[in-house]
C-alpha cells in the first residue's frame, strides 16, 4: 500500500501531518541530505578561499545554487546512487562531483570531501539542522506560547482565587500571579536552553586531522577546522573521537524535558480549574464533546498536549541517555538514534499548538471563583492569628485552630463572632473584620 497520511504508522506523518509537515525541512531524510550537501559545498568553498585551489566564480555560483536550491528530486538522485555505494555520505560526495562535472570543473572533483570521514559531515550537518530547527521553530513557538500566558496573567492579575495546597483550601491568591509562576519557570528554562552551545565534530577519521596533516603538514588544521565550523554558526569540539560527544545535544534534550514538564504541570492545573468550573470553554457550532453525553465540553486540547509532551519526554530521555555513550572511538548506535530527533521535536510543536488552542477557548467564570472564596472563610484564620501575634495576644494559633479545624462550616458570621469575643481594642477588631477571603491575597512582584 502506498504511503499516505491514512497509512502512515506514525501520527507525526499521518494524522498530524498537516500541522507538522514544515518540519521535514530539518528532520527528514531529504533534510539530512540537504544539510550534508550544504556542509560539503561550504567546505569546498572554504578550501578554495584558503587558496588550496582556484575556483572560478561561475563554478562557485553553481555550487551555491546546488546547495541553496536542493530539491526532493536531488535527494532522490542521491538515494539512487546510495543503492550502488551502500554508503549515504559517499552518495552525497558523488552528487557534488557530478555538479563539478556539469560546471566543467572535473579537475577539482577530488577536493570534494577532502580529508574527511563521513562523521565530519554528519556531525556538522545534524547540529546545523538542529540549530536551525531550534531557532526558527522551537524557540519562537515556545516564546509565543509564554507570551500568551503572560497576556492572560495580565488580564487576570486582579482576579482573586482560592488557592489549594494538598488539594485543600489555602491562603487566597491572584489568578494572574499563578499564571506568572509558569511564565517565570518557562523563561528561566529557555535561558538555560539558549546558553547551551550548538557544537560539531570536524577533525577527520578519529579527530586528529590525520589525513589533512599528512597531505599538508605545514597547515594549521586545528585553526582551519575551527574557522570552518564557526563559519556555519557552530562551535567545534577540540578533542573528539570519530564522532561528536553529543553532551551538548543531550543538554538541549534535558532542557526540553524540563520545559515539557512545566507545560504538563500547567496543562494539569488548567484541566483541574476547568473541572472546578473556574473556566468555561468556548464551543464551535457542530462540535461534539462526547459521543454519549451531549452536555460535555471536554478539555481535550490540554489532554492532547499532555499526551504528546509525555511521548516527547520518553524519547528525549532515551536520546540524552544514549547519545553521549559510544564504544571506544566510535560505534554505530548513534547513527540510527540520531535519525529520530525530529520525532520528539514534532510532538512538542504539536503540544504547543494544542495548548495555544486550548487557551483560546478559555472563558473565566469569575462568579465561581468568588463563590469558592465566600464558602471558605476559614482561610482568613491565618491572617487573624498573625495579626494577633503582632499584638502579642496569648496563643492565637491554638485559638484559631480550635475554631476552624474539623468544623463543618466556618462562614463570615462565625469568624466575626470569634473576633467579637477577643479581648482586644475596638480598632483592632475593626482591622480584623476588614479581612475577607477576596482581599486576603498578599502581594507579589510586579508583572
Amino acid at each position: 500500500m502506498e504511503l499516505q497520511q491514512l497509512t502512515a504508522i506514525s501520527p507525526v506523518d499521518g494524522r498530524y501531518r498537516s500541522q507538522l509537515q514544515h518540519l521535514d525541512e530539518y528532520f527528514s531524510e531529504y533534510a539530512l541530505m540537504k544539510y550534508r550537501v550544504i556542509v560539503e559545498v561550504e567546505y569546498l568553498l572554504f578550501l578554495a578561499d584558503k587558496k588550496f585551489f582556484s575556483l572560478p566564480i561561475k563554478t562557485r555560483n553553481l555550487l551555491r545554487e546546488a546547495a541553496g536550491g536542493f530539491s526532493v528530486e536531488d535527494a532522490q538522485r542521491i538515494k539512487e546512487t546510495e543503492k550502488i555505494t551502500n554508503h549515504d555520505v559517499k552518495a552525497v560526495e558523488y552528487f557534488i562531483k557530478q555538479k563539478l562535472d556539469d560546471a566543467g570543473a572535473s579537475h577539482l572533483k577530488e577536493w570534494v570531501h577532502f580529508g574527511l570521514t563521513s562523521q565530519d559531515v554528519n556531525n556538522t550537518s545534524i547540529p546545523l539542522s538542529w540549530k536551525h530547527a531550534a531557532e526558527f521553530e522551537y524557540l519562537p513557538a515556545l516564546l509565543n506560547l509564554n507570551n500568551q500566558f503572560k497576556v492572560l496573567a495580565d488580564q487576570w492579575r486582579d482576579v482573586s482565587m482560592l488557592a489549594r495546597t494538598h488539594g485543600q483550601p489555602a491562603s487566597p491568591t491572584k489568578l494572574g500571579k499563578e499564571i506568572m509562576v509558569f511564565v517565570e519557570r518557562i523563561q528561566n528554562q529557555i535561558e538555560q536552553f539558549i546558553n547551551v552551545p550548538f557544537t560539531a565534530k570536524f577533525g577527520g577519521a578519529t579527530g586528529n586531522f590525520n589525513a589533512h596533516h599528512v597531505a599538508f603538514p605545514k597547515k594549521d588544521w586545528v585553526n582551519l577546522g575551527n574557522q570552518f565550523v564557526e563559519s556555519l554558526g557552530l562551535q567545534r569540539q577540540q578533542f573528539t573521537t570519530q564522532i561528536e560527544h553529543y553532551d551538548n545535544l543531550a543538554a538541549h534534550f534535558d532542557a526540553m524535558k524540563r520545559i515539557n514538564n512545566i507545560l504538563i504541570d500547567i496543562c494539569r492545573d488548567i484541566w483541574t480549574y476547568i473541572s472546578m468550573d473556574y473556566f468555561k470553554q468556548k464551543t464551535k457550532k457542530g462540535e461534539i464533546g462526547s459521543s454519549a453525553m451531549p452536555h460535555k465540553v471536554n478539555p481535550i486540547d490540554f489532554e492532547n498536549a499532555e499526551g504528546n509532551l509525555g511521548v516527547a519526554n520518553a524519547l528525549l530521555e532515551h536520546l540524552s541517555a544514549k547519545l553521549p555513550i559510544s564504544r571506544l572511538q566510535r560505534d554505530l548506535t548513534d547513527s540510527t538514534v540520531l535519525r529520530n530527533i525530529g520525532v520528539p521535536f514534532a510532538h512538542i510543536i504539536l503540544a504547543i499548538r494544542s495548548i495555544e488552542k486550548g487557551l483560546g477557548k478559555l472563558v473565566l467564570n469569575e462568579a465561581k471563583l468568588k463563590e469558592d472564596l465566600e464558602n471558605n472563610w476559614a482561610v482568613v484564620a491565618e491572617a487573624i492569628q498573625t495579626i494577633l501575634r503582632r499584638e502579642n495576644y496569648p496563643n492565637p494559633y491554638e485559638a484559631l485552630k480550635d475554631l476552624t479545624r474539623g468544623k463543618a462550616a466556618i462562614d463570615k458570621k462565625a469568624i466575626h463572632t470569634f473576633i467579637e469575643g477577643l479581648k482586644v481594642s475596638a480598632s483592632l477588631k475593626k482591622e480584623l473584620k476588614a479581612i475577607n477571603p477576596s482581599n486576603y491575597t498578599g502581594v507579589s512582584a510586579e508583572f
Side-chain angles (χ1 to χ4, degrees):
M1 188 180 295
E2 185 180 348
L3 178 64
Q4 51 179 287
Q5 282 185 245
L6 290 175
T7 61
I9 294 173
S10 167
V12 166
D13 292 314
R15 182 179 181 87
Y16 305 122
R17 173 69 178 169
S18 61
Q19 299 179 59
L20 302 171
Q21 60 188 14
H22 61 292
L23 298 182
D24 61 17
E25 287 294 329
Y26 312 99
F27 299 117
S28 63
E29 186 75 0
Y30 150 78
L32 180 55
M33 293 182 189
K34 177 183 70 173
Y35 277 94
R36 283 167 170 163
V37 169
I38 291 170
V39 170
E40 291 276 18
V41 166
E42 290 299 328
Y43 178 58
L44 188 64
L45 296 176
F46 177 82
L47 291 177
D49 290 341
K50 296 301 177 180
K51 310 302 182 185
F52 282 86
F53 55 89
S54 178
L55 193 64
I57 293 295
K58 181 180 178 182
T59 306
R60 282 176 175 271
N61 292 338
L62 286 173
L63 288 169
R64 288 205 180 277
E65 287 175 15
F70 190 78
S71 66
V72 173
E73 290 71 28
D74 290 331
Q76 190 59 52
R77 284 176 57 193
I78 292 174
K79 202 67 182 173
E80 291 300 317
T81 304
E82 187 184 334
K83 291 178 181 178
I84 301 169
T85 63
N86 198 30
H87 196 287
D88 47 7
V89 176
K90 201 67 179 176
V92 170
E93 179 185 339
Y94 288 158
F95 172 81
I96 296 170
K97 286 180 174 180
Q98 182 61 55
K99 292 294 181 182
L100 288 174
D101 283 338
D102 296 342
S106 301
H107 62 289
L108 298 175
K109 288 199 304 185
E110 293 313 313
W111 287 105
V112 178
H113 200 73
F114 178 79
L116 303 184
T117 186
S118 59
Q119 281 308 110
D120 292 317
V121 180
N122 289 333
N123 282 168
T124 306
S125 302
I126 292 172
L128 187 58
S129 63
W130 177 252
K131 182 176 190 283
H132 289 168
E135 293 178 347
F136 301 148
E137 303 292 341
Y138 177 65
L139 289 173
L142 191 57
L143 288 166
N144 285 340
L145 176 62
N146 212 29
N147 186 60
Q148 193 172 352
F149 286 137
K150 179 64 165 60
V151 168
L152 292 175
D154 288 335
Q155 183 179 326
W156 298 330
R157 77 168 58 230
D158 296 322
V159 177
S160 298
M161 180 181 77
L162 184 69
R164 293 180 184 272
T165 57
H166 310 282
Q168 307 302 308
S171 300
T173 185
K174 296 287 189 180
L175 178 56
K177 172 258 169 178
E178 296 308 316
I179 301 299
M180 280 303 298
V181 169
F182 293 98
V183 172
E184 181 177 67
R185 292 175 67 188
I186 292 169
Q187 185 59 43
N188 288 344
Q189 294 307 313
I190 288 174
E191 290 172 9
Q192 289 199 34
F193 181 95
I194 291 172
N195 284 332
V196 177
F198 294 88
T199 51
K201 177 265 175 180
F202 200 85
T206 55
N208 308 311
F209 291 103
N210 301 53
H212 303 74
H213 180 69
V214 77
F216 293 94
K218 293 184 179 181
K219 294 288 186 179
D220 185 352
W221 284 107
V222 171
N223 183 47
L224 288 170
N226 291 341
Q227 287 183 42
F228 171 65
V229 171
E230 288 167 10
S231 74
L232 298 175
L234 304 171
Q235 293 182 24
R236 194 182 80 87
Q237 295 285 5
Q238 299 300 300
F239 303 96
T240 68
T241 60
Q242 189 174 92
I243 62 174
E244 211 260 325
H245 310 319
Y246 301 123
D247 296 325
N248 288 322
L249 190 57
H252 277 140
F253 296 152
D254 288 337
M256 294 171 88
K257 282 193 300 178
R258 290 194 299 273
I259 292 169
N260 290 350
N261 284 336
I262 295 168
L263 295 177
I264 289 172
D265 202 13
I266 194 169
C267 282
R268 290 179 178 177
D269 276 9
I270 294 175
W271 186 98
T272 304
Y273 291 142
I274 291 170
S275 74
M276 294 161 62
D277 209 27
Y278 282 6
F279 293 115
K280 301 288 188 182
Q281 295 180 95
K282 297 174 187 175
T283 58
K284 285 185 180 179
K285 188 175 181 181
E287 279 190 344
I288 294 172
S290 168
S291 62
M293 293 168 279
H295 68 282
K296 291 184 71 179
V297 182
N298 297 328
I300 57 172
D301 299 302
F302 299 104
E303 293 169 341
N304 282 345
E306 184 180 340
N308 279 293
L309 291 166
V311 170
N313 274 2
L315 292 167
L316 291 171
E317 173 64 28
H318 175 66
L319 289 167
S320 64
K322 186 273 149 300
L323 284 172
I325 299 172
S326 183
R327 295 170 184 86
L328 303 181
Q329 281 65 56
R330 194 269 158 98
D331 66 41
L332 199 65
T333 53
D334 63 308
S335 179
T336 187
V337 171
L338 274 173
R339 292 177 182 274
N340 290 279
I341 63 176
V343 180
F345 191 101
H347 281 284
I348 292 169
I349 297 299
L350 187 62
I352 290 173
R353 299 287 178 255
S354 293
I355 296 171
E356 289 176 335
K357 184 179 178 184
L359 293 176
K361 291 181 182 178
L362 295 181
V363 179
L364 184 65
N365 184 8
E366 204 162 350
K368 179 61 178 176
L369 276 77
K370 290 178 179 177
E371 178 187 329
D372 268 8
L373 286 165
E374 191 61 30
N375 290 338
N376 285 278
W377 268 79
V379 296
V380 303
E382 177 192 42
I384 295 169
Q385 65 102 354
T386 304
I387 291 176
L388 292 176
R389 285 187 179 197
R390 182 194 73 193
E391 298 297 320
N392 206 27
Y393 190 88
N395 302 317
Y397 174 85
E398 287 73 18
L400 270 298
K401 178 181 174 183
D402 291 340
L403 170 68
T404 59
R405 194 154 188 175
K407 301 295 174 64
I410 299 296
D411 55 13
K412 178 180 179 181
K413 181 179 178 181
I415 292 291
H416 282 208
T417 299
F418 172 81
I419 293 170
E420 279 299 326
L422 294 171
K423 295 178 180 179
V424 296
S425 66
S427 62
L428 186 57
K429 288 180 180 179
K430 183 179 180 181
E431 180 184 353
L432 294 173
K433 285 183 178 180
I435 302 167
N436 64 61
S438 291
N439 66 20
Y440 179 51
T441 53
V443 295
S444 69
E446 290 295 319
F447 61 89

